[in-house]
Amino acid sequence: MPLTELPFTEPIQPAEPHDARCAHELRGRLLAEAGHPIDPPTRLRHRIADAITDHCGHSLLRSHRLAWGWSVREAVTAAHALCREQGRACALADRLWEKWEKGAHPGAYYQDLLARLFRTRPDRLGLAADYTDYTDDGAAPDSTPRPLERTISMFPNQVSRNANEAHEAHESPAGSGESHRASRAGRGAENEITMSARESAYYHSNLSDIGSADTDLLRDEVVRVAGLFANAPRLAVFARTRALRDHTFALLDRRLRAEEFADLYFLAGAACGMLAEITHNLGYQAEAMAHARTAFLCADQVGHSGLLAWILGEQSVIAYYDGRPAQAALLAQRGQMHDTTDSFRAELPALEARATAMLGDTETAQRALARIEPAREQVEPHDLDDLGGIFGCILPKQQFYTADTSLWIGDGAAAVADAEACIAGYQDGPEQARAHDNEASAHVTLAMAHVDSGDLDAAREAAQPAFGIAPNLRTDAVNQRFRRLHRRLTAPPVRESPTAVELRDQIEDLLTTSTPNLPA
């Protein structure tokens, strides 16, 4: 039968959609009649999708998926493969696809992705009213995907400028195939920043569309962002975290059930807490504390002890790097008053020990150090640990704090042991949990301990890996430790040593290398 004479040209409009077997049988028959049972052309697939919609009563998006012969999992896998090929970010999950097939409305970013995937216009997928820059026969012009500038143009002003600069500097022309993929391979961190900005554009520009996302999807995004803190470029983390916060508060503005409010306030507290951490990483301590206070209020709304304790610990870290050790100690002590079994409970006495050691209160610091191991023994994984990433307290992170504590109280041997254990723990652990800023800081702490013992050669060797940290991974904490090492190398009796002079020059060169600026 010729393609123009396919049956079911008039909509049958079934009262209820038929089950998937109807679509499968219809697809198989039409493919066989058209003589393309294995690899049908795109135009034939579109005609089959129309027939499935008319005869079986499925939504347009579901009809296209069935016309391609895909399950939901296979369709999502194909979307992720397309994203990888085109250098796009994609956080698509099966659950979200199923919501779209039931009538939820994706934002512009995913409308564009679905149109590319099925090589048709979004209106033919039931996603938009019209897409006039596609041809009437359902194929994209010249079979070339549209460039991504439309998505980029949705950024807030400053982020738009930053992302467009990266895009212009690194993107090859649309449709350039292998040259495009080759250029991506060398982009490294800048590519990640651009990808994160595109995702931020999707959330920021489509707040009216986020009713299709539920708290489960939002929690998944919190988990993904929490995992970025170990080794992603700082500005990429900032953009992604800010978008997550905006997304969460937009949902809180809606009319929700009580249990939804509880989940959302927990996730809003987590998002603001992560925004406090990344803002602190970028050296904006007052602004970081403002985010942390909002995070605390969100957690307090639902009385979540684990999150309250974590946020108080975050506030302690901010106060410590802001030069307020007394407040840092008090906040860490307050955190320990909350009843929690999350792994973070072992981090709080370590934070208290470090702050009190900085104050010169060795006795209180030693008592706090003694509480760390008992706290670790009482840990029972809970929902905060389920978020993972920055919300967990792995052993190297604890050793990172105790090495600093030992350095402040003058116990050089303990500082060396803890710093070396911290470095080994990060290097031997999973790459996704390897916090490069903490690892670099531990190297500088180890170097300071060697300077204090008079072994400048060992100090130089210990510090070298920290000089190699990429500028977009270097945090304010790393810079502060290098300044502390510089002060030690300037003081007698080591300041005239050639090794001390060499190390000081290296530190000065590093500190004059700019780190990324915070977007407006």
Side-chain angles (χ1 to χ4, degrees), residues 446-503:
L446 181 58
M448 286 190 280
H450 286 310
V451 171
D452 290 350
S453 69
D455 191 345
L456 293 183
D457 289 335
R460 177 175 55 191
E461 182 180 354
Q464 293 313 303
F467 287 108
I469 188 172
N472 60 8
L473 293 177
R474 200 172 78 231
T475 62
D476 183 62
V478 177
N479 289 343
Q480 286 202 31
R481 273 181 174 73
F482 271 118
R483 293 188 189 101
R484 286 169 58 191
L485 176 58
H486 190 277
R487 287 194 292 272
R488 278 172 162 79
L489 295 168
T490 308
V494 302
R495 64 183 176 191
E496 301 301 332
S497 164
T499 302
V501 173
E502 176 189 343
L503 268 175

Short mmCIF file of all heavy atoms in Angstrom, two decimals, residues 446-503:
data_model
loop_
_atom_site.label_atom_id
_atom_site.label_comp_id
_atom_site.label_asym_id
_atom_site.label_seq_id
_atom_site.Cartn_x
_atom_site.Cartn_y
_atom_site.Cartn_z
N LEU A 446 50.48 20.28 55.62
CA LEU A 446 51.65 19.43 55.81
C LEU A 446 52.93 20.24 55.65
O LEU A 446 53.89 20.07 56.44
CB LEU A 446 51.60 18.27 54.80
CG LEU A 446 52.72 17.24 54.84
CD1 LEU A 446 52.79 16.57 56.21
CD2 LEU A 446 52.51 16.20 53.74
N ALA A 447 52.95 21.12 54.66
CA ALA A 447 54.13 21.97 54.46
C ALA A 447 54.36 22.88 55.66
O ALA A 447 55.50 23.08 56.10
CB ALA A 447 53.96 22.80 53.19
N MET A 448 53.29 23.44 56.22
CA MET A 448 53.44 24.30 57.40
C MET A 448 54.00 23.53 58.58
O MET A 448 54.84 24.04 59.34
CB MET A 448 52.09 24.94 57.76
CG MET A 448 51.66 26.06 56.82
SD MET A 448 50.21 26.99 57.42
CE MET A 448 48.88 25.88 56.95
N ALA A 449 53.53 22.29 58.75
CA ALA A 449 54.05 21.47 59.86
C ALA A 449 55.54 21.22 59.68
O ALA A 449 56.31 21.26 60.66
CB ALA A 449 53.29 20.15 59.93
N HIS A 450 55.99 21.00 58.46
CA HIS A 450 57.42 20.79 58.21
C HIS A 450 58.22 22.08 58.42
O HIS A 450 59.36 22.03 58.92
CB HIS A 450 57.63 20.26 56.80
CG HIS A 450 57.24 18.82 56.62
ND1 HIS A 450 57.67 17.82 57.47
CD2 HIS A 450 56.47 18.21 55.68
CE1 HIS A 450 57.18 16.66 57.07
NE2 HIS A 450 56.44 16.87 55.98
N VAL A 451 57.65 23.21 58.05
CA VAL A 451 58.34 24.49 58.33
C VAL A 451 58.51 24.68 59.82
O VAL A 451 59.58 25.08 60.31
CB VAL A 451 57.57 25.68 57.71
CG1 VAL A 451 58.17 27.00 58.18
CG2 VAL A 451 57.61 25.60 56.19
N ASP A 452 57.45 24.36 60.58
CA ASP A 452 57.52 24.52 62.05
C ASP A 452 58.60 23.64 62.65
O ASP A 452 59.21 23.98 63.68
CB ASP A 452 56.17 24.19 62.68
CG ASP A 452 55.11 25.25 62.37
OD1 ASP A 452 55.47 26.32 61.83
OD2 ASP A 452 53.92 25.00 62.65
N SER A 453 58.86 22.48 62.02
CA SER A 453 59.90 21.59 62.54
C SER A 453 61.27 21.92 61.97
O SER A 453 62.27 21.27 62.33
CB SER A 453 59.54 20.13 62.22
OG SER A 453 59.64 19.89 60.82
N GLY A 454 61.35 22.90 61.07
CA GLY A 454 62.62 23.34 60.50
C GLY A 454 63.06 22.57 59.27
O GLY A 454 64.18 22.78 58.78
N ASP A 455 62.22 21.70 58.72
CA ASP A 455 62.60 20.90 57.55
C ASP A 455 62.02 21.56 56.29
O ASP A 455 60.94 21.20 55.81
CB ASP A 455 62.08 19.47 57.71
CG ASP A 455 62.65 18.52 56.66
OD1 ASP A 455 63.21 19.02 55.66
OD2 ASP A 455 62.53 17.29 56.85
N LEU A 456 62.74 22.51 55.74
CA LEU A 456 62.23 23.27 54.60
C LEU A 456 62.19 22.43 53.32
O LEU A 456 61.32 22.65 52.47
CB LEU A 456 63.09 24.52 54.37
CG LEU A 456 63.01 25.59 55.47
CD1 LEU A 456 63.84 26.80 55.09
CD2 LEU A 456 61.56 26.00 55.72
N ASP A 457 63.11 21.50 53.16
CA ASP A 457 63.08 20.65 51.97
C ASP A 457 61.80 19.81 51.96
O ASP A 457 61.15 19.66 50.91
CB ASP A 457 64.30 19.75 51.93
CG ASP A 457 65.58 20.53 51.62
OD1 ASP A 457 65.48 21.61 51.00
OD2 ASP A 457 66.67 20.06 52.01
N ALA A 458 61.45 19.25 53.10
CA ALA A 458 60.21 18.48 53.19
C ALA A 458 59.00 19.37 52.96
O ALA A 458 58.02 18.95 52.35
CB ALA A 458 60.11 17.79 54.56
N ALA A 459 59.07 20.61 53.44
CA ALA A 459 57.97 21.56 53.24
C ALA A 459 57.78 21.85 51.75
O ALA A 459 56.65 21.89 51.25
CB ALA A 459 58.24 22.85 54.00
N ARG A 460 58.90 22.07 51.06
CA ARG A 460 58.81 22.36 49.62
C ARG A 460 58.19 21.17 48.88
O ARG A 460 57.32 21.34 48.02
CB ARG A 460 60.19 22.66 49.06
CG ARG A 460 60.21 22.91 47.55
CD ARG A 460 61.59 23.33 47.07
NE ARG A 460 62.60 22.34 47.46
CZ ARG A 460 63.90 22.54 47.36
NH1 ARG A 460 64.37 23.69 46.89
NH2 ARG A 460 64.76 21.59 47.73
N GLU A 461 58.64 19.98 49.21
CA GLU A 461 58.10 18.78 48.55
C GLU A 461 56.62 18.60 48.85
O GLU A 461 55.83 18.25 47.96
CB GLU A 461 58.88 17.55 49.01
CG GLU A 461 58.42 16.26 48.35
CD GLU A 461 59.21 15.05 48.83
OE1 GLU A 461 60.20 15.23 49.60
OE2 GLU A 461 58.84 13.93 48.45
N ALA A 462 56.22 18.85 50.10
CA ALA A 462 54.82 18.67 50.48
C ALA A 462 53.91 19.66 49.79
O ALA A 462 52.76 19.33 49.44
CB ALA A 462 54.68 18.81 52.00
N ALA A 463 54.40 20.88 49.56
CA ALA A 463 53.55 21.93 49.02
C ALA A 463 53.35 21.83 47.51
O ALA A 463 52.37 22.37 46.98
CB ALA A 463 54.13 23.30 49.36
N GLN A 464 54.28 21.18 46.80
CA GLN A 464 54.25 21.23 45.33
C GLN A 464 52.92 20.79 44.71
O GLN A 464 52.42 21.45 43.79
CB GLN A 464 55.41 20.42 44.75
CG GLN A 464 56.78 21.01 45.03
CD GLN A 464 56.85 22.52 44.75
OE1 GLN A 464 56.58 22.96 43.63
NE2 GLN A 464 57.22 23.29 45.76
N PRO A 465 52.30 19.68 45.15
CA PRO A 465 51.02 19.30 44.52
C PRO A 465 49.95 20.38 44.64
O PRO A 465 49.10 20.50 43.75
CB PRO A 465 50.63 18.03 45.28
CG PRO A 465 51.92 17.46 45.78
CD PRO A 465 52.75 18.67 46.13
N ALA A 466 49.98 21.16 45.72
CA ALA A 466 48.96 22.19 45.90
C ALA A 466 49.11 23.32 44.89
O ALA A 466 48.12 23.97 44.53
CB ALA A 466 49.03 22.76 47.32
N PHE A 467 50.33 23.55 44.40
CA PHE A 467 50.51 24.60 43.39
C PHE A 467 49.88 24.21 42.06
O PHE A 467 49.63 25.07 41.22
CB PHE A 467 52.01 24.88 43.18
CG PHE A 467 52.65 25.62 44.32
CD1 PHE A 467 53.54 24.98 45.18
CD2 PHE A 467 52.38 26.96 44.54
CE1 PHE A 467 54.14 25.66 46.23
CE2 PHE A 467 52.96 27.65 45.58
CZ PHE A 467 53.85 27.00 46.43
N GLY A 468 49.63 22.94 41.87
CA GLY A 468 49.08 22.48 40.60
C GLY A 468 47.57 22.54 40.51
O GLY A 468 47.00 22.21 39.46
N ILE A 469 46.89 22.96 41.57
CA ILE A 469 45.43 22.99 41.53
C ILE A 469 44.97 24.04 40.51
O ILE A 469 45.51 25.14 40.42
CB ILE A 469 44.82 23.26 42.92
CG1 ILE A 469 43.30 23.10 42.88
CG2 ILE A 469 45.21 24.64 43.44
CD1 ILE A 469 42.64 23.14 44.25
N ALA A 470 43.99 23.68 39.70
CA ALA A 470 43.49 24.59 38.67
C ALA A 470 42.86 25.82 39.32
O ALA A 470 42.22 25.72 40.37
CB ALA A 470 42.46 23.88 37.79
N PRO A 471 43.04 27.01 38.72
CA PRO A 471 42.46 28.23 39.31
C PRO A 471 40.96 28.12 39.55
O PRO A 471 40.46 28.65 40.54
CB PRO A 471 42.79 29.32 38.27
CG PRO A 471 44.03 28.83 37.60
CD PRO A 471 43.88 27.33 37.53
N ASN A 472 40.23 27.42 38.65
CA ASN A 472 38.78 27.36 38.85
C ASN A 472 38.36 26.32 39.89
O ASN A 472 37.18 26.15 40.15
CB ASN A 472 38.06 27.12 37.52
CG ASN A 472 38.46 25.83 36.84
OD1 ASN A 472 39.18 25.02 37.42
ND2 ASN A 472 38.01 25.64 35.62
N LEU A 473 39.34 25.60 40.47
CA LEU A 473 39.06 24.71 41.59
C LEU A 473 39.61 25.26 42.90
O LEU A 473 39.33 24.72 43.97
CB LEU A 473 39.68 23.32 41.33
CG LEU A 473 39.09 22.49 40.20
CD1 LEU A 473 39.87 21.19 40.05
CD2 LEU A 473 37.61 22.19 40.45
N ARG A 474 40.41 26.31 42.81
CA ARG A 474 41.06 26.84 44.01
C ARG A 474 40.07 27.70 44.79
O ARG A 474 39.51 28.65 44.27
CB ARG A 474 42.29 27.68 43.61
CG ARG A 474 43.28 27.85 44.74
CD ARG A 474 44.56 28.51 44.24
NE ARG A 474 44.41 29.94 44.05
CZ ARG A 474 44.73 30.59 42.94
NH1 ARG A 474 45.18 29.94 41.89
NH2 ARG A 474 44.60 31.88 42.86
N THR A 475 39.87 27.35 46.03
CA THR A 475 38.92 28.06 46.87
C THR A 475 39.63 29.09 47.74
O THR A 475 40.86 29.11 47.85
CB THR A 475 38.16 27.08 47.78
OG1 THR A 475 39.12 26.42 48.64
CG2 THR A 475 37.42 26.03 46.96
N ASP A 476 38.83 29.91 48.40
CA ASP A 476 39.38 30.89 49.32
C ASP A 476 40.13 30.21 50.46
O ASP A 476 41.12 30.73 50.96
CB ASP A 476 38.25 31.77 49.87
CG ASP A 476 38.76 32.88 50.78
OD1 ASP A 476 39.53 33.75 50.30
OD2 ASP A 476 38.40 32.88 51.97
N ALA A 477 39.66 29.02 50.86
CA ALA A 477 40.34 28.28 51.94
C ALA A 477 41.76 27.91 51.53
O ALA A 477 42.70 27.98 52.34
CB ALA A 477 39.54 27.04 52.29
N VAL A 478 41.95 27.49 50.28
CA VAL A 478 43.29 27.17 49.79
C VAL A 478 44.16 28.42 49.81
O VAL A 478 45.32 28.40 50.27
CB VAL A 478 43.23 26.58 48.37
CG1 VAL A 478 44.64 26.31 47.84
CG2 VAL A 478 42.41 25.29 48.37
N ASN A 479 43.63 29.53 49.33
CA ASN A 479 44.40 30.79 49.32
C ASN A 479 44.80 31.20 50.72
O ASN A 479 45.93 31.66 50.95
CB ASN A 479 43.58 31.89 48.66
CG ASN A 479 43.44 31.70 47.16
OD1 ASN A 479 44.18 30.94 46.55
ND2 ASN A 479 42.48 32.39 46.56
N GLN A 480 43.86 31.06 51.67
CA GLN A 480 44.18 31.46 53.05
C GLN A 480 45.31 30.60 53.62
O GLN A 480 46.18 31.11 54.34
CB GLN A 480 42.93 31.36 53.93
CG GLN A 480 41.92 32.46 53.68
CD GLN A 480 40.98 32.67 54.86
OE1 GLN A 480 41.36 32.45 56.01
NE2 GLN A 480 39.76 33.09 54.58
N ARG A 481 45.31 29.32 53.31
CA ARG A 481 46.39 28.47 53.83
C ARG A 481 47.72 28.84 53.20
O ARG A 481 48.76 28.82 53.86
CB ARG A 481 46.06 27.01 53.56
CG ARG A 481 45.22 26.41 54.67
CD ARG A 481 44.93 24.96 54.40
NE ARG A 481 44.24 24.39 55.55
CZ ARG A 481 42.97 24.65 55.86
NH1 ARG A 481 42.27 25.47 55.10
NH2 ARG A 481 42.41 24.11 56.92
N PHE A 482 47.74 29.16 51.91
CA PHE A 482 48.98 29.61 51.29
C PHE A 482 49.49 30.89 51.96
O PHE A 482 50.71 31.08 52.12
CB PHE A 482 48.79 29.83 49.79
CG PHE A 482 49.05 28.60 48.96
CD1 PHE A 482 48.04 28.02 48.19
CD2 PHE A 482 50.31 28.02 48.94
CE1 PHE A 482 48.29 26.89 47.42
CE2 PHE A 482 50.57 26.89 48.17
CZ PHE A 482 49.56 26.33 47.41
N ARG A 483 48.59 31.78 52.35
CA ARG A 483 49.03 33.01 53.03
C ARG A 483 49.63 32.67 54.39
O ARG A 483 50.61 33.30 54.82
CB ARG A 483 47.85 33.97 53.18
CG ARG A 483 47.34 34.53 51.84
CD ARG A 483 46.30 35.62 52.04
NE ARG A 483 45.69 35.97 50.78
CZ ARG A 483 44.50 35.56 50.36
NH1 ARG A 483 43.76 34.76 51.14
NH2 ARG A 483 44.02 35.93 49.19
N ARG A 484 49.03 31.70 55.10
CA ARG A 484 49.60 31.28 56.38
C ARG A 484 50.99 30.68 56.18
O ARG A 484 51.92 30.96 56.98
CB ARG A 484 48.68 30.26 57.06
CG ARG A 484 47.41 30.85 57.67
CD ARG A 484 46.43 29.77 58.09
NE ARG A 484 47.00 28.83 59.05
CZ ARG A 484 46.40 27.69 59.40
NH1 ARG A 484 45.24 27.36 58.85
NH2 ARG A 484 46.96 26.90 60.29
N LEU A 485 51.16 29.87 55.13
CA LEU A 485 52.49 29.31 54.85
C LEU A 485 53.47 30.42 54.51
O LEU A 485 54.64 30.39 54.96
CB LEU A 485 52.38 28.31 53.69
CG LEU A 485 53.70 27.69 53.19
CD1 LEU A 485 54.42 26.96 54.31
CD2 LEU A 485 53.44 26.75 52.00
N HIS A 486 53.03 31.41 53.75
CA HIS A 486 53.90 32.54 53.37
C HIS A 486 54.38 33.28 54.62
O HIS A 486 55.56 33.66 54.72
CB HIS A 486 53.13 33.48 52.44
CG HIS A 486 53.99 34.54 51.81
ND1 HIS A 486 54.31 35.72 52.46
CD2 HIS A 486 54.60 34.59 50.60
CE1 HIS A 486 55.06 36.46 51.65
NE2 HIS A 486 55.26 35.79 50.52
N ARG A 487 53.47 33.50 55.58
CA ARG A 487 53.87 34.19 56.82
C ARG A 487 54.92 33.39 57.58
O ARG A 487 55.86 33.96 58.14
CB ARG A 487 52.64 34.44 57.70
CG ARG A 487 51.72 35.53 57.17
CD ARG A 487 50.73 36.00 58.23
NE ARG A 487 49.75 34.96 58.56
CZ ARG A 487 48.60 34.80 57.92
NH1 ARG A 487 48.28 35.58 56.90
NH2 ARG A 487 47.75 33.85 58.29
N ARG A 488 54.78 32.08 57.62
CA ARG A 488 55.79 31.26 58.29
C ARG A 488 57.15 31.38 57.59
O ARG A 488 58.20 31.40 58.24
CB ARG A 488 55.36 29.79 58.30
CG ARG A 488 54.38 29.44 59.42
CD ARG A 488 53.85 28.02 59.22
NE ARG A 488 53.26 27.48 60.45
CZ ARG A 488 52.06 27.76 60.90
NH1 ARG A 488 51.30 28.62 60.21
NH2 ARG A 488 51.61 27.22 62.01
N LEU A 489 57.11 31.42 56.27
CA LEU A 489 58.37 31.50 55.51
C LEU A 489 59.01 32.88 55.56
O LEU A 489 60.18 33.03 55.19
CB LEU A 489 58.10 31.11 54.04
CG LEU A 489 57.66 29.66 53.81
CD1 LEU A 489 57.13 29.49 52.39
CD2 LEU A 489 58.82 28.70 54.07
N THR A 490 58.27 33.86 56.02
CA THR A 490 58.79 35.23 56.13
C THR A 490 59.39 35.49 57.51
O THR A 490 60.13 36.46 57.71
CB THR A 490 57.67 36.24 55.83
OG1 THR A 490 57.05 35.90 54.59
CG2 THR A 490 58.19 37.66 55.72
N ALA A 491 59.03 34.63 58.46
CA ALA A 491 59.48 34.84 59.84
C ALA A 491 60.86 34.23 60.06
O ALA A 491 61.25 33.28 59.38
CB ALA A 491 58.47 34.21 60.81
N PRO A 492 61.62 34.80 61.02
CA PRO A 492 62.90 34.17 61.38
C PRO A 492 62.60 32.84 62.07
O PRO A 492 61.52 32.68 62.65
CB PRO A 492 63.53 35.18 62.34
CG PRO A 492 62.40 36.00 62.87
CD PRO A 492 61.34 36.02 61.80
N PRO A 493 63.51 31.86 62.03
CA PRO A 493 64.86 31.95 61.45
C PRO A 493 64.95 31.48 59.99
O PRO A 493 66.05 31.36 59.46
CB PRO A 493 65.65 31.00 62.34
CG PRO A 493 64.66 29.93 62.68
CD PRO A 493 63.31 30.59 62.77
N VAL A 494 63.80 31.22 59.31
CA VAL A 494 63.88 30.58 58.00
C VAL A 494 63.83 31.58 56.84
O VAL A 494 64.07 31.20 55.69
CB VAL A 494 62.73 29.56 57.83
CG1 VAL A 494 62.77 28.51 58.91
CG2 VAL A 494 61.37 30.25 57.80
N ARG A 495 63.54 32.84 57.09
CA ARG A 495 63.21 33.75 55.99
C ARG A 495 64.35 33.98 55.01
O ARG A 495 64.12 34.30 53.85
CB ARG A 495 62.72 35.08 56.54
CG ARG A 495 63.72 35.87 57.33
CD ARG A 495 63.09 37.12 57.88
NE ARG A 495 64.01 37.86 58.74
CZ ARG A 495 63.63 38.87 59.51
NH1 ARG A 495 62.35 39.25 59.52
NH2 ARG A 495 64.50 39.50 60.25
N GLU A 496 65.60 33.81 55.44
CA GLU A 496 66.74 34.04 54.55
C GLU A 496 67.15 32.78 53.79
O GLU A 496 68.00 32.83 52.91
CB GLU A 496 67.94 34.55 55.34
CG GLU A 496 67.68 35.84 56.10
CD GLU A 496 67.27 36.99 55.19
OE1 GLU A 496 67.68 36.99 54.01
OE2 GLU A 496 66.51 37.86 55.64
N SER A 497 66.52 31.66 54.11
CA SER A 497 66.87 30.41 53.45
C SER A 497 66.49 30.47 51.97
O SER A 497 65.39 30.93 51.62
CB SER A 497 66.15 29.24 54.12
OG SER A 497 66.16 28.10 53.30
N PRO A 498 67.37 30.01 51.07
CA PRO A 498 67.02 29.98 49.64
C PRO A 498 65.74 29.19 49.37
O PRO A 498 64.95 29.56 48.49
CB PRO A 498 68.23 29.33 48.98
CG PRO A 498 69.36 29.60 49.92
CD PRO A 498 68.76 29.57 51.29
N THR A 499 65.53 28.12 50.11
CA THR A 499 64.31 27.33 49.92
C THR A 499 63.08 28.14 50.32
O THR A 499 62.04 28.10 49.64
CB THR A 499 64.37 26.04 50.74
OG1 THR A 499 65.52 25.28 50.36
CG2 THR A 499 63.13 25.19 50.53
N ALA A 500 63.19 28.89 51.42
CA ALA A 500 62.07 29.73 51.86
C ALA A 500 61.78 30.82 50.83
O ALA A 500 60.61 31.11 50.53
CB ALA A 500 62.38 30.35 53.22
N VAL A 501 62.83 31.42 50.29
CA VAL A 501 62.65 32.46 49.27
C VAL A 501 61.97 31.88 48.04
O VAL A 501 61.05 32.48 47.46
CB VAL A 501 64.01 33.09 48.90
CG1 VAL A 501 63.86 34.04 47.72
CG2 VAL A 501 64.62 33.81 50.10
N GLU A 502 62.41 30.69 47.63
CA GLU A 502 61.82 30.03 46.46
C GLU A 502 60.34 29.74 46.68
O GLU A 502 59.50 30.00 45.80
CB GLU A 502 62.57 28.73 46.18
CG GLU A 502 62.00 27.91 45.04
CD GLU A 502 62.63 26.53 44.95
OE1 GLU A 502 63.72 26.32 45.53
OE2 GLU A 502 62.03 25.66 44.29
N LEU A 503 60.01 29.22 47.86
CA LEU A 503 58.61 28.91 48.15
C LEU A 503 57.76 30.18 48.21
O LEU A 503 56.63 30.20 47.74
CB LEU A 503 58.51 28.14 49.46
CG LEU A 503 58.54 26.61 49.37
CD1 LEU A 503 58.56 26.00 50.76
CD2 LEU A 503 57.35 26.09 48.57
#
